[in-house]
Amino acid sequence: MYISKFRVKNYKSFLDSGEMTFTPGINIITGQNNAGKTALMQTLSLSFKDVPHRSSNTIPDESVNNIDPSIADIELIVSNIEIENYIFNQNQIFIPLNNYFPNQGSASDRSFFDKLESENMLVSTFQAGTNPILSHIKAIGQRNQDVLSIYNVLKKEKLLKYNSVSSGSSDGFYLSLAQYFARTIYLFKAERMNIGVHAFQGKSELENNASNLPDVLNVMQGNFERFTRFNKYVNKIFPNVHRISVRPQGIGSNLVEIVVWNENPELERDDLVVPLSECGTGLSQVLAILYVVLTANVSKIILIDEPNSFLHPGASRKLIEILKEYPQHQFIITTHSPTIIAAANPKTIHIVKNENAQSTVTSLDINEAKGEQSYLTEIGAKLSDVFGADNILWVEGKTEEICFPKIIEKMKDVSQMGTAILGVKHTGDFEGKHAQSTFDIYNKLSTGKGLIPPAVGFIFDKEGKNETVIGDLKRQSDNKIVFSERKMFENYIINPNAIFEVINQDLKEEISLETIKGWIENNKWDKKFITQKQANNKNEADWLLHVDGAKFLAELFNVLSDTKVTYSKVKHSVALAEWLIENDFENSFDDYKIIFEKFLDKI
């Protein structure tokens, strides 16, 4: 069984979600805080209260009340086996008569088995706080022999009570069927579950609120192989948990409790076990989820709300990898975590947004999502780098990615709010014949439906580009690309005082400030660092514009330290920038400040 289509109307922030499509395997629901993800999960569980939508759409003025009920429309795909299990577990069941008894029942009754032969879909509308108010079977099953087997077994076991019914009264069967399957949906909420102790009843079916977990795990202990596999999974997710077991809570008690072995069970120190109720958040939920996954003999629907709220990112990833080993079940997971989304490789992704006090759902084509992640890999970024950002400012490299937010933070009238700053993988890809195809990749990332935010702009070094090349790149980027005035970022951090502070951090014997200044003056016009034309002109005002700052600093550090300090672009460039930000900010990074004012929010 799995949910194939779903729609919620008039519940909390949802006036109408629109129709959503789900598949077996892992489905993801994502969105910002308070967008409506948890409300959506409540209705998917088919156990929700009547909380009508409240906004100016439904309540135009204070004298109006929204009296329409909260509704969930659901389409379930169910198998023959699941229907048989349902029927055989009933003490008595009434179903419409069929054409194998031609003299009994109406034509509408006989159509039941006709439908049974052709499809396997159960459509139902659930109203909050009540039974399904409308439910019908379009059909169940695929082959005629399946239908006959149901009838023959029923006849043999004398469970089928023939009942001649009038048209329409067969809804009772459909209603009971819908109620049954609604009770088999499991919802694991984003909160700690207190399920460490329960009365011994010897049951193996976990309640959909997982309240009897100790009892079912106690039964599971009798299946050695399965319980061993269960514990292996637990240890994979929580390496410090060696084993889970169940024991009577006390002498003469009818209660059983789950205990956790945090030390090697081979020590046989059962006096050191810890009751589950005293363990950290998340373990209870994982135990319940794994139990359903391992023990279900038919497909199950498992809803997990924000697993990242009760699990460490590493544990979340391992849980998702285990769930992927059981694709016959349907998992619907809400999450903010790009780690979970990337690990899940989901069948569907639904993005919940809330605008004007109303939640809506946008479905992202999975091929488009995979394409976006592929593009991210190609440009050297990860989903976690961009997920949740409103937009992206692409910059020259890792050094700028680290330093630019520090500069922006120091600015009084500009905020990075909602903007992710990321270094591109190869800026050379933006030149020559590769430029257009490279911009196409970034544009495709910018036109997705929600996972990958748009590019607000590109900030690159001039690197000696002439005005023709710069003009072409601006045109190809739709004027989103801006170049720094100086040749590269390092040209902004050639400062004797900053160099004095940074280079001496790695040396036992201090290099004097005068020595650093002297070296700069003696070598600044060396043709290793600047063009022949500029060296001949020796225009002091233009030197910082044109010198190869990276080569210049690398040589300075190498020579003055007597090769003891090798200049690291990320380590030392960042350190020099940080010193200037704290000690000489007003005189540094002037044109970067202007660029940031163009691209970022002004306070």
Side-chain angles (χ1 to χ4, degrees):
M1 176 185 71
Y2 67 92
I3 298 172
S4 60
K5 293 180 181 178
F6 190 79
R7 186 171 193 164
V8 55
K9 303 174 185 176
N10 199 33
Y11 180 69
K12 291 189 175 180
S13 58
F14 288 95
L15 181 57
D16 187 343
S17 67
E19 187 175 84
M20 292 165 276
T21 301
F22 297 96
T23 65
I26 297 179
N27 303 260
I28 291 290
I29 297 172
T30 188
Q32 297 181 350
N33 287 334
N34 201 39
K37 299 187 300 299
T38 297
L40 183 56
M41 291 292 266
Q42 290 167 349
T43 53
L44 280 164
S45 73
L46 302 181
S47 178
F48 56 99
K49 297 179 181 179
D50 192 22
V51 186
H53 176 76
R54 295 178 59 84
S55 71
S56 57
N57 288 318
T58 56
I59 308 175
D61 59 66
E62 295 179 359
S63 64
V64 177
N65 288 322
N66 181 2
I67 59 174
D68 294 330
S70 300
I71 295 291
D73 291 331
I74 188 169
E75 180 177 287
L76 295 170
I77 302 299
V78 291
S79 69
N80 298 89
I81 294 176
E82 289 166 324
I83 293 297
E84 288 184 13
N85 287 341
Y86 162 71
I87 293 175
F88 296 147
N89 285 328
Q90 309 303 306
N91 292 325
Q92 176 174 291
I93 187 169
F94 294 85
I95 67 171
L97 297 176
N98 59 79
N99 56 5
Y100 298 106
F101 299 89
N103 298 322
Q104 303 181 61
S106 66
S108 63
D109 299 329
R110 292 195 296 271
S111 68
F112 172 80
F113 269 76
D114 294 335
K115 291 179 180 178
L116 202 63
E117 296 175 23
S118 58
E119 302 177 29
N120 60 344
M121 190 182 301
L122 169 64
V123 178
S124 184
T125 297
F126 283 73
Q127 180 174 324
T130 70
N131 292 328
I133 59 173
L134 172 65
S135 180
H136 68 278
I137 298 229
K138 289 187 176 178
I140 308 157
Q142 295 295 329
R143 302 183 308 278
N144 188 55
Q145 55 263 40
D146 294 327
V147 178
L148 285 172
S149 68
I150 294 175
Y151 163 69
N152 289 332
V153 174
L154 288 172
K155 182 180 178 182
K156 179 179 178 181
E157 300 297 328
K158 298 181 180 180
L159 292 176
L160 179 60
K161 304 297 181 182
Y162 306 119
N163 180 25
S164 181
V165 294
S166 60
S167 177
S169 63
S170 57
D171 282 350
F173 176 80
Y174 307 139
L175 285 169
S176 61
L177 197 63
Q179 292 165 0
Y180 169 77
F181 285 120
R183 292 193 298 269
T184 65
I185 298 174
Y186 290 89
L187 170 60
F188 297 98
K189 300 178 181 179
E191 58 192 41
R192 183 170 181 171
M193 301 170 67
N194 186 18
I195 50 177
V197 179
H198 194 270
F200 170 75
Q201 296 174 330
K203 293 184 177 180
S204 58
E205 184 77 17
L206 184 69
E207 299 291 340
N208 57 7
N209 63 0
S211 59
N212 66 332
L213 182 64
D215 187 39
V216 298
L217 283 181
N218 186 47
V219 172
M220 189 192 200
Q221 285 184 143
N223 187 325
F224 179 80
E225 291 298 330
R226 180 177 289 174
F227 197 65
T228 299
R229 182 156 43 103
F230 173 84
N231 270 299
K232 284 182 179 178
Y233 283 147
V234 173
N235 179 249
K236 247 183 197 179
I237 298 170
F238 304 102
N240 60 319
V241 176
H242 293 272
R243 184 177 296 172
I244 297 294
S245 63
V246 184
R247 69 182 184 186
Q249 192 178 42
I251 298 174
S253 172
N254 72 329
L255 300 177
V256 289
E257 67 173 348
I258 301 170
V259 293
V260 180
W261 296 71
N262 291 322
E263 295 197 46
N264 193 333
E266 292 180 2
L267 297 175
E268 300 184 10
R269 292 292 305 276
D270 56 355
D271 60 313
L272 298 179
V273 299
V274 179
L276 180 63
S277 57
E278 297 178 11
C279 293
T281 300
L283 182 55
S284 297
Q285 283 94 329
V286 169
L287 297 184
I289 293 167
L290 291 178
Y291 180 84
V292 176
V293 169
L294 266 67
T295 61
N297 55 6
V298 294
S299 58
K300 294 290 185 182
I301 298 170
I302 302 172
L303 314 176
I304 309 175
D305 192 12
E306 299 287 1
N308 46 288
S309 69
F310 56 80
L311 285 178
H312 179 275
S316 298
R317 187 184 301 108
K318 292 172 185 175
L319 173 63
I320 295 299
E321 292 300 330
I322 291 170
L323 299 185
K324 287 166 66 176
E325 296 179 20
Y326 297 84
Q328 70 272 28
H329 300 308
Q330 183 180 48
F331 304 97
I332 301 178
I333 301 171
T334 67
T335 184
H336 295 111
S337 169
T339 300
I340 290 178
I341 296 175
N345 190 21
K347 298 287 185 181
T348 67
I349 298 177
H350 297 286
I351 302 169
V352 184
K353 298 180 180 179
N354 190 301
E355 297 178 354
N356 301 319
Q358 183 173 330
S359 294
T360 56
V361 180
T362 300
S363 299
L364 183 64
D365 183 272
I366 196 61
N367 292 324
E368 181 178 348
K370 288 179 178 178
E372 289 182 342
Q373 292 191 51
S374 175
Y375 287 136
L376 282 174
T377 301
E378 187 171 340
I379 64 176
K382 303 185 295 294
L383 182 61
S384 56
D385 294 328
V386 302
F387 185 74
D390 295 329
N391 46 58
I392 303 172
L393 181 58
W394 296 100
V395 298
E396 183 79 17
K398 192 66 178 179
T399 303
E400 290 83 353
E401 181 181 316
I402 296 171
C403 293
F404 282 1
K406 298 176 184 291
I407 297 172
I408 294 165
E409 186 177 351
K410 197 73 172 179
M411 297 175 67
K412 294 180 179 179
D413 57 347
V414 173
S415 169
Q416 190 186 328
M417 188 74 67
T419 299
I421 296 179
L422 296 177
V424 302
K425 187 175 183 181
H426 300 297
T427 54
D429 291 342
F430 289 87
E431 301 177 15
K433 63 181 181 180
H434 300 296
Q436 189 59 60
S437 60
T438 302
F439 277 118
D440 286 344
I441 291 176
Y442 284 83
N443 286 331
K444 286 176 181 177
L445 283 172
S446 299
T447 54
K449 292 185 178 179
L451 275 184
I452 312 300
V456 69
F458 302 83
I459 303 176
F460 290 163
D461 297 338
K462 275 193 173 179
E463 292 279 5
K465 297 178 181 68
N466 61 45
E467 291 303 316
T468 300
V469 172
I470 289 174
D472 288 342
L473 290 173
K474 285 184 176 181
R475 185 179 62 257
Q476 290 168 333
S477 70
D478 196 23
N479 286 316
K480 286 186 177 181
I481 192 168
V482 174
F483 294 92
S484 60
E485 287 298 319
R486 301 182 187 181
K487 186 180 182 72
M488 62 187 66
F489 181 73
E490 280 72 20
N491 290 33
Y492 293 83
I493 56 178
I494 300 176
N495 179 291
N497 295 300
I499 294 169
F500 171 77
E501 293 295 334
V502 172
I503 194 171
N504 285 313
Q505 292 177 0
D506 296 328
L507 294 172
K508 293 181 179 179
E509 297 182 7
E510 185 176 280
I511 300 171
S512 69
L513 180 59
E514 288 71 22
T515 300
I516 294 171
K517 289 179 178 179
W519 193 93
I520 292 174
E521 287 301 316
N522 292 332
N523 293 274
K524 65 194 309 181
W525 301 112
D526 192 313
K527 295 172 188 176
K528 289 189 294 186
F529 313 121
I530 204 158
T531 67
Q532 177 75 49
K533 181 179 178 180
Q534 291 154 356
N536 292 337
N537 291 336
K538 292 188 179 180
N539 187 332
E540 291 285 347
D542 289 346
W543 183 74
L544 282 174
L545 294 179
H546 303 299
V547 67
D548 189 321
K551 285 184 180 180
F552 190 80
L553 285 169
E555 184 82 358
L556 184 154
F557 271 61
N558 186 55
V559 172
L560 293 186
S561 71
D562 195 22
T563 69
K564 294 183 178 69
V565 180
T566 300
Y567 188 81
S568 165
K569 184 173 172 63
V570 173
K571 176 184 175 182
H572 295 114
S573 291
V574 171
L576 290 169
E578 288 176 338
W579 189 92
L580 289 168
I581 290 168
E582 291 302 317
N583 298 280
D584 195 20
F585 186 71
E586 293 303 319
N587 298 313
S588 307
F589 315 111
D590 285 343
D591 60 297
Y592 281 130
K593 295 174 187 176
I594 296 171
I595 294 171
F596 295 144
E597 286 180 349
K598 172 184 177 179
F599 284 131
L600 303 179
D601 292 334
K602 292 185 179 180
I603 301 173

